[in-house]
Amino acid sequence: MKKIVSLLMVIAMVAASCFALTSCGSKDTETTANSDIKVGFIFLHDENSTYDKNFMDAATAATEKLGLSSDQVMFKTNIPETAECYEAAADLVDAGCSIIFADSFGHEDFMIQAAKEFPDVTFCHATGTKAHTEGLDNFYNAFASIYEGRFLVGYAAGLKLNEMIENGEITADQAKMGYVGAYPYAEVKSGYTSFFLGARYACPEVTMDVKFTNSWFDIAAEKETANALIADGCKLISQHADSEGAPKACEEAGVPNIAYNLDTREWGPNTALISSKINWEPYFEHIINATINGTKIEQDYCKGLADDVVQTLGLNEKVAAAGTAEKLEELKAKLIAGEIKVFDTTTFTVDGKQLTEYMADVDSDASFTPDTQVVENGCFMESTKRSAPYFDVDIDGITIK
């Protein structure tokens, strides 16, 4: 009997030892102590860019929430979309980082290069398109259904235009908005189109002009572009660009402004109406917790309003139309419930016709070859085939200047 008990104890000890060694080597169940985690972040610009600051604030909040000390978190700022990104990633690996995140579209190829060279390090990248086709176990993409947030703040814009029409400040045929875009990429087109569709949901007469700066961050160019749109008769300005340029131009001209990433009321106390943003905290918590607990990271992470990953912020009651807050909550509930689809193809036309099919460039290649049918059941299925946007359709009602 004693021999049997002893044998059972030995078996139990071996089993416990094997479990402690992460299920006898199973990668998915490896665990890491919080104190052993070091996370590196690569940013295109610094805190002067609203886009990058949004990531920085989320990274700080998430790592503090998870109990990481300041020496476990490393920021590399002003890293261009060149080989400097690879070098920054390699430096972070040398510094002991087990997770490295980069925030700009043009960083992706250099992050993939680093992921191939350092297979034991996790590389995560925002706005990228290649994680689902690269087949790497340590490279991941992330974005959000920000088109939901753009639609919501567009609705707030439409309500404001309606109020201006009702008050006699403008006529219905003058309900034209302007949009400062960075580049004519799908990410920007998806954003401004959803913004426009949200505005038209409230104000059917609205039209919109779009001008591109061909830069993600250029204060002077963004301000100049906003001023040009205002001079051309635009009564409300929004943007997908990363500085205070457009908000400040609107404040000086007395034109309502709807921003992206940050509450801009400090720059436009009399004109800032509302903003939308991606809340990156849940994603950063996801990748850090997955590394700590040995669980899987989502290959193509994309969440929206329902998960509080897409948010609106900075509603300025003295600029917004009366009742905007309540109406936004009602519309938000309908979006979450699926009662309203942002890219419902019955709500827009292309060259006067309804979009019934569309081949999008989802599996990206150098030639941007269309490869995937994305119109299903009367809806353009944005960010469902991969996380990054691929809506690049020019719809009626929007004029590119």
Side-chain angles (χ1 to χ4, degrees):
M1 182 66 179
K2 288 182 179 180
K3 290 182 178 180
I4 293 173
V5 172
S6 297
L7 179 60
L8 290 172
M9 290 177 66
V10 169
I11 292 171
M13 290 173 66
V14 171
S17 174
C18 185
F19 181 78
L21 291 172
T22 64
S23 297
C24 299
S26 173
K27 183 177 179 181
D28 286 345
T29 56
E30 290 179 1
T31 58
T32 305
N34 279 41
S35 59
D36 294 332
I37 287 286
K38 186 175 280 190
V39 189
F41 294 90
I42 296 172
F43 303 110
L44 181 61
H45 300 113
D46 55 27
E47 66 278 359
N48 292 305
S49 158
T50 57
Y51 176 80
D52 295 273
K53 189 176 189 310
N54 185 43
F55 281 104
M56 292 177 182
D57 290 347
T60 299
T63 53
E64 288 179 352
K65 180 179 178 180
L66 295 175
L68 274 62
S69 63
S70 59
D71 60 358
Q72 291 176 271
V73 182
M74 299 183 66
F75 283 9
K76 282 190 173 289
T77 59
N78 296 307
I79 304 300
E81 296 169 318
T82 66
E84 282 189 47
C85 177
Y86 164 78
E87 294 165 4
D91 287 346
L92 291 169
V93 172
D94 289 343
C97 291
S98 50
I99 308 170
I100 298 172
F101 172 88
D103 75 347
S104 193
F105 179 79
H107 287 150
E108 184 166 39
D109 287 344
F110 305 105
M111 290 287 281
I112 290 171
Q113 179 186 352
K116 290 177 178 178
E117 184 170 341
F118 306 105
D120 294 328
V121 176
T122 296
F123 293 87
C124 300
H125 176 251
T127 79
T129 64
K130 298 180 180 179
H132 71 292
T133 54
E134 280 294 316
L136 296 173
D137 291 334
N138 65 329
F139 180 70
Y140 307 91
N141 284 148
F143 203 68
S145 303
I146 188 58
Y147 57 88
E148 296 175 332
R150 296 281 198 184
F151 188 86
L152 275 176
V153 298
Y155 182 58
L159 294 173
K160 180 63 177 178
L161 291 170
N162 284 343
E163 183 180 74
M164 295 167 72
I165 293 169
E166 291 166 8
N167 292 343
E169 298 172 41
I170 62 173
T171 57
D173 63 346
Q174 293 175 326
K176 182 170 71 168
M177 304 184 298
Y179 200 96
V180 180
Y183 291 97
Y185 297 161
E187 180 183 342
V188 180
K189 287 196 172 190
S190 177
Y192 71 61
T193 304
S194 51
F195 172 77
F196 172 75
L197 292 173
R200 196 161 67 179
Y201 185 74
C203 179
E205 302 88 353
V206 69
T207 60
M208 187 167 77
D209 289 352
V210 178
K211 288 177 69 71
F212 299 107
T213 62
N214 294 308
S215 171
W216 290 119
F217 179 78
D218 188 323
I219 298 173
E222 290 164 35
K223 187 173 184 180
E224 179 182 347
T225 302
N227 280 328
L229 289 165
I230 293 167
D232 199 34
C234 295
K235 307 302 181 184
L236 183 148
I237 301 293
S238 189
Q239 72 264 355
H240 188 147
D242 299 341
S243 83
E244 73 270 25
K248 286 187 173 179
C250 289
E251 182 70 5
E252 292 170 8
V255 171
N257 173 250
I258 291 180
Y260 185 40
N261 291 314
L262 293 178
D263 180 348
T264 58
R265 284 177 290 185
E266 65 173 297
W267 296 325
N270 302 302
T271 54
L273 199 161
I274 195 171
S275 298
S276 61
K277 78 167 195 173
I278 298 174
N279 172 25
W280 287 100
E281 286 184 49
Y283 181 67
F284 293 148
E285 291 175 22
H286 167 60
I287 62 177
I288 294 169
N289 279 325
T291 303
I292 291 171
N293 298 323
T295 54
K296 289 185 177 180
I297 294 172
E298 290 191 36
Q299 189 82 55
D300 241 322
Y301 177 100
C302 185
K303 299 187 184 300
L305 289 170
D307 296 287
D308 200 35
V309 172
V310 170
Q311 299 177 336
T312 61
L313 67 161
L315 178 63
N316 191 344
E317 297 282 3
K318 71 178 183 179
V319 177
T324 293
E326 294 77 13
K327 291 176 181 177
L328 285 177
E329 286 302 313
E330 292 172 5
L331 182 59
K332 178 180 176 181
K334 291 179 180 180
L335 286 166
I336 291 173
E339 296 175 23
I340 294 175
K341 303 289 188 182
V342 172
F343 293 110
D344 180 341
T345 57
T346 66
T347 64
F348 63 89
T349 57
V350 179
D351 295 327
K353 299 177 182 178
Q354 184 178 332
L355 198 68
T356 57
E357 58 182 10
Y358 192 77
M359 295 293 288
D361 171 32
V362 173
D363 299 336
S364 292
D365 58 24
S367 301
F368 305 104
T369 308
D371 50 55
T372 304
Q373 177 58 242
V374 293
V375 174
E376 300 174 6
N377 300 316
C379 185
F380 188 106
M381 305 300 291
E382 176 68 302
S383 295
T384 59
K385 311 299 182 181
R386 71 175 190 216
S387 58
Y390 39 81
F391 185 100
D392 59 357
V393 185
D394 294 323
I395 73 168
D396 298 332
I398 299 175
T399 302
I400 298 174
K401 293 290 189 176

